[in-house]
């Protein structure tokens, strides 16, 4: 029987540890600096500019604490992005501070308003139904980080929901953001996670939990759609101006800043999707309210990293039509970008036709940018440095082969980084019958022929490939094991282990051994849905 791990239904309207890259998480080197001028929570410098937009942009609420709430995990790497002392994890009043039962200067909780296309249908008002923006922190490097508390109770935008998040989906979001950061893929970051004894009703009775996450902002494509569809163009301009002043000040200096904002989002989104495809990541709910204007992965729900490769893999059990299948992600991102572009038309130019023409031109660049980004990752994954015409096709042939044979995405690519003449590589590729074995043999030969045209030494090539082909990805069964320990035994140690191991997914290590294999038999029936 299918076992639902759960977590959007189409048209349904312990202590310290850790995960590096531009706006990514600091690496292990930062570990040594602990204590050198790090701040306490009360010393963080808040600059809450979003709250100044006021009016229809937001609604102020206080978080609702959960019954017997307790810290499950604190992410020291994420803390450092705020200059926050990881030792703050030891504070007994942590949950009270994050749920604002204790005064915390600068914190001014609010729910953000947005709309969005959900499974292709426009929903005019969504908003933070179970989350609050606690405040915006400026760190010493001058970066702004939103602190966002999810699972914090009812807001003006809760609709039929209860404002809560359950433990399993909170663990999945926490681990996913650690794993994506470890892979070097732009993402929100998880700062802390809290559990509780509070009963929350889904398909069965579960317990409530909260995650504190961080992002440059929580502005979504849907935030712009909200004001466009209501024809509140002054508010739309305020929002776009806010976004630029706060996050993209450089764009103010160019000819048409609003068009440049769109260009920027097109570029970063294309790069993000190429990254997703390169590691077999399926988001699951690419609604426009789940798309960040920063080109980062946001709102982890029924996501999944592929085990056996299938181009049309659907990770969300509730997505019956397969709208968000793996191979649909690149065109869906373009659809979502078109929704954003449409919403920006009134500020791009007063003449609607001219605005549409300019936006169209920007959107037309998406495919080329995506293909370039993806091709560059494909080459890296195959260990190719020089650019040759047939490289993309060589990669795509491998995907076709993997699908017809039923090969594991992550393991296959990792094996390719080994010397192709090694026995385990050859057996992984050639341990098959008849025509498929012949195809695999020919593909390996083609790769070897292509590699010989480069003068890179095999060891260097192999090292390079290990930096694009992760040894481990956060497969469903790995997260599920951590969830079961947490839920059934109140044992959160696996979450700590996973946070460490998945911060370095490209490394061969003893710790990663147990996560490097294909899913075990018991996991065959696992599936994830929108319940969360
Ligand atoms: P998601 O599928 O998590 O991206 O959520 C889609 C929308 O539904 C967002 O506006 C959420 O805030 C809202 N939502 C999801 N779950 C709940 C809940 N349990 N209570 C209130 N609102 C919710
Ligand atoms: Mg969402």
């Amino acid at each position: 029987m299918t076992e639902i791990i759960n977590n959007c239904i189409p048209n349904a309207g312990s202590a310290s540890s850790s995960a590096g890259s531009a706006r990514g998480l600091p690496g292990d080197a930062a570990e040594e600096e602990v204590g050198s001028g790090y701040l306490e929570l009360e010393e963080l410098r808040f600059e809450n500019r979003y709250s100044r937009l006021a009016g229809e942009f937001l609604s102020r609420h206080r978080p609702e604490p959960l019954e017997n709430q307790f810290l499950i995990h604190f992410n020291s790497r994420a803390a450092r992005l705020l200059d926050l002392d990881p030792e703050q994890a030891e504070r007994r009043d942590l949950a009270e501070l994050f749920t604002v039962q204790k005064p915390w200067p600068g914190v001014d909780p609010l729910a953000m308003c947005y709309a969005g296309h959900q499974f292709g249908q426009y929903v005019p008002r969504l908003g933070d139904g179970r989350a609050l923006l606690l405040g915006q922190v400026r760190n010493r490097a001058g970066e702004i980080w939103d602190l966002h508390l999810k699972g914090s109770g009812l807001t003006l935008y809760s609709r039929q929901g209860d404002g809560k998040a359950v433990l399993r989906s909170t663990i999945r979001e926490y681990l996913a953001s650690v794993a994506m950061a470890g892979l070097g893929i732009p993402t929100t970051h998880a700062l802390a996670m809290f559990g509780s004894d509070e009963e929350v009703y889904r398909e069965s009775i579960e317990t409530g939990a909260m995650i504190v996450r961080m992002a440059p902002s929580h502005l979504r494509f849907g935030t712009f759609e909200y004001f466009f569809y209501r024809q509140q163009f002054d508010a739309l301009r305020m929002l776009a101006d806010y976004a630029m002043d706060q996050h993209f000040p450089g764009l103010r200096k160019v000819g048409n800043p609003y068009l440049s904002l769109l260009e920027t989002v097109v570029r970063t989104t294309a790069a993000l999707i190429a990254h997703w495809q390169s590691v077999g990541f399926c988001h699951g709910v690419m609604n426009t309210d789940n798309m960040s204007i920063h080109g980062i992965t946001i709102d982890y729900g029924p996501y999944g990293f592929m085990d056996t490769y299938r181009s049309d893999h659907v990770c969300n059990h509730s997505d019956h039509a397969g709208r968000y299948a793996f191979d649909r992600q690149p065109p869906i991102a373009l659809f979502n970008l078109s929704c954003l572009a449409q919403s920006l038309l009134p500020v791009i130019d007063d003449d609607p036709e001219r605005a549409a023409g300019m936006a169209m031109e920007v959107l037309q660049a998406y495919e080329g940018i995506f293909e370039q980004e993806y091709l560059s990752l494909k080459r890296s994954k195959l260990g190719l440095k020089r650019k040759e015409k047939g490289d993309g096709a060589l990669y795509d042939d491998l995907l076709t082969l993997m699908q017809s044979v039923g090969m594991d995405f992550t393991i296959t690519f990792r094996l390719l980084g080994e010397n192709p003449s090694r026995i385990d590589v050859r057996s992984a590729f050639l341990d098959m019958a008849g025509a498929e074995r012949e195809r695999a043999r020919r593909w390996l030969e083609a790769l070897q022929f292509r590699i010989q045209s480069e003068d890179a030494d095999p060891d260097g090539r192999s090292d390079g490939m290990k930096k694009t082909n992760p040894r481990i990805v956060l497969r469903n069964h790995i997260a599920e094991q951590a969830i079961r320990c947490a839920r059934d035994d109140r044992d959160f140690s696996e979450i700590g282990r996973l946070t460490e191991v998945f911060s370095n997914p490209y490394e061969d290590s003893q710790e990663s051994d147990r996560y490097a294999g294909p899913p075990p038999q018991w996991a065959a029936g696992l599936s994830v849905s929108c319940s969360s």
Side-chain angles (χ1 to χ4, degrees):
M1 216 179 74
T2 300
E3 194 172 342
I4 310 273
I5 299 177
N6 288 333
N7 245 345
C8 326
I9 296 175
N11 305 334
S14 136
S16 115
S17 306
S18 32
S21 70
R23 295 232 91 187
L25 289 168
D28 289 330
E31 206 91 38
E32 292 150 25
E33 293 169 27
V34 171
S36 59
Y38 280 116
L39 305 173
E40 297 193 3
L41 284 159
E42 288 88 342
E43 292 172 326
L44 292 178
R45 194 170 128 209
F46 283 92
E47 276 183 27
N48 299 332
R49 300 222 173 133
Y50 188 84
S51 65
R52 291 191 212 152
L53 291 172
E56 272 211 67
F57 288 88
L58 54 98
S59 146
R60 284 198 158 78
H61 301 274
R62 289 187 74 80
E64 289 167 25
L66 296 167
E67 206 180 303
N68 295 332
Q69 54 192 17
F70 57 89
L71 179 69
I72 294 179
H73 203 261
F74 189 84
N75 186 344
S76 50
R77 284 191 177 86
R80 289 193 191 97
L81 293 174
L82 302 171
D83 310 314
L84 183 64
D85 188 345
E87 304 262 316
Q88 291 287 292
E90 308 300 332
R91 290 177 64 153
R92 289 168 155 261
D93 57 357
L94 210 59
E96 285 139 282
L97 275 168
F98 279 107
T99 52
V100 204
Q101 296 161 78
K102 245 189 121 165
W104 182 358
V107 166
D108 179 17
L110 60 88
M112 295 171 72
C113 183
Y114 52 83
H117 277 83
Q118 295 195 313
F119 289 86
Q121 307 280 325
Y122 184 65
V123 183
R125 194 162 89 164
L126 292 160
D128 292 328
R130 54 170 169 171
L132 293 169
L133 174 62
L134 294 174
Q136 297 168 283
V137 172
R138 190 178 289 280
N139 68 9
R140 289 194 189 113
E143 295 167 343
I144 287 279
W145 287 104
D146 273 17
L147 289 188
H148 207 244
L149 180 67
K150 188 164 167 183
S152 48
L154 295 171
T155 74
L156 183 62
Y157 316 113
S158 297
R159 298 177 295 158
Q160 290 82 36
D162 59 2
K164 310 279 187 204
V166 296
L167 180 64
R168 70 182 146 77
S169 66
T170 306
I171 293 175
R172 279 175 54 83
E173 171 150 14
Y174 193 90
L175 293 177
S177 40
V178 167
M180 291 294 260
L183 288 167
I185 300 181
T187 177
T188 56
H189 297 292
L191 178 64
M193 171 162 57
F194 299 94
S196 78
D197 291 336
E198 185 150 329
E199 289 188 345
V200 172
Y201 302 92
R202 296 293 182 261
E203 287 80 1
S204 60
I205 300 177
E206 304 189 43
T207 55
M210 293 188 191
I211 186 174
V212 183
R213 69 181 181 191
M214 295 164 42
S217 89
H218 285 73
L219 294 177
R220 301 142 192 277
F221 294 8
T223 320
F224 293 83
E225 288 179 286
Y226 179 83
F227 295 102
F228 170 76
Y229 278 90
R230 296 170 71 92
Q231 302 205 358
Q232 295 177 323
F233 300 147
D234 288 342
L236 179 70
R237 188 177 296 274
M238 266 171 79
L239 178 65
D241 286 343
Y242 163 79
M244 271 182 296
D245 293 342
Q246 181 84 333
H247 303 292
F248 308 99
L251 299 183
R252 280 292 199 195
K253 301 184 191 96
V254 301
N256 186 327
Y258 306 103
L259 192 65
S260 302
L261 176 63
L262 178 63
E263 255 165 9
T264 303
V265 183
V266 166
R267 191 169 25 82
T268 52
T269 303
L272 176 70
I273 308 297
H275 258 117
W276 287 1
Q277 304 304 104
S278 77
V279 295
F281 176 78
C282 233
H283 182 281
V285 201
M286 285 178 70
N287 295 336
T288 54
D289 50 297
N290 291 337
M291 299 288 292
S292 159
I293 63 156
H294 300 282
I296 61 175
T297 320
I298 189 170
D299 281 8
Y300 294 95
Y303 67 86
F305 285 90
M306 264 195 277
D307 298 309
T308 301
Y309 177 74
R310 272 199 68 87
S311 59
D312 56 355
H313 173 69
V314 181
C315 61
N316 176 2
H317 188 70
S318 319
D319 182 6
H320 305 297
R323 178 180 170 87
Y324 298 135
F326 179 71
D327 58 0
R328 299 278 311 144
Q329 296 190 129
I332 284 289
L334 178 57
F335 170 84
N336 291 341
L337 286 163
S338 315
C339 295
L340 173 68
Q342 183 183 34
S343 301
L344 286 173
L345 291 182
V347 292
I348 287 177
D349 201 284
D350 290 339
D351 176 346
E353 250 177 67
R354 209 165 43 217
M358 290 193 278
M360 193 62 86
E361 214 174 295
V362 170
L363 288 172
Q364 274 162 354
Y366 167 83
E367 223 169 272
I369 302 169
F370 168 75
E371 290 300 340
Q372 270 317 112
E373 294 279 350
Y374 195 20
L375 184 56
S376 151
L377 289 163
K378 287 176 177 177
R379 283 201 179 94
S380 303
K381 287 181 78 74
L382 294 178
L384 306 174
K385 291 223 159 60
R386 261 202 359 253
K387 298 178 182 173
E388 279 194 22
K389 221 170 157 223
D391 295 343
L394 185 65
Y395 183 97
D396 296 344
D397 285 349
L398 173 59
L399 291 186
T400 312
L401 178 69
M402 282 163 66
Q403 177 150 343
S404 58
V405 181
M407 292 160 90
D408 184 277
F409 185 89
T410 307
I411 295 174
T412 303
F413 278 108
R414 185 71 176 187
L415 272 173
L416 274 184
E418 310 287 349
N419 185 336
S421 61
R422 261 185 56 171
I423 191 78
D424 47 352
V425 185
R426 293 194 72 79
S427 65
F429 274 79
L430 301 177
D431 233 10
M432 48 191 84
E436 252 125 31
R437 181 189 163 89
E438 183 49 25
R439 274 174 61 201
R441 195 189 57 74
R442 271 193 274 119
W443 188 86
L444 267 184
E445 253 177 38
L447 175 67
Q448 263 174 315
F449 183 74
R450 174 64 183 81
I451 289 166
Q452 277 157 14
S453 71
E454 308 223 337
D455 23 68
D457 75 292
D459 289 341
R461 180 177 166 274
S462 175
D463 289 348
M465 286 177 77
K466 285 184 174 173
K467 294 187 178 117
T468 3
N469 295 311
R471 179 153 197 254
I472 50 170
V473 291
L474 186 73
R475 300 170 190 261
N476 273 344
H477 76 272
I478 297 174
E480 177 64 9
Q481 261 168 330
I483 291 167
R484 288 183 184 181
C485 293
R487 186 191 57 202
D488 303 340
D489 304 322
R490 278 211 172 210
D491 175 356
F492 305 109
S493 55
E494 182 65 359
I495 294 168
R497 268 192 298 278
L498 294 179
T499 305
E500 282 306 311
V501 173
F502 280 87
S503 295
N504 295 300
Y506 298 101
E507 251 172 48
D508 285 310
S509 67
Q510 229 173 352
E511 292 74 37
S512 64
D513 279 353
R514 57 191 281 215
Y515 306 111
Q521 203 65 43
W522 66 263
L526 287 179
S527 73
V528 281
S529 77
C530 279
S531 146
S532 63

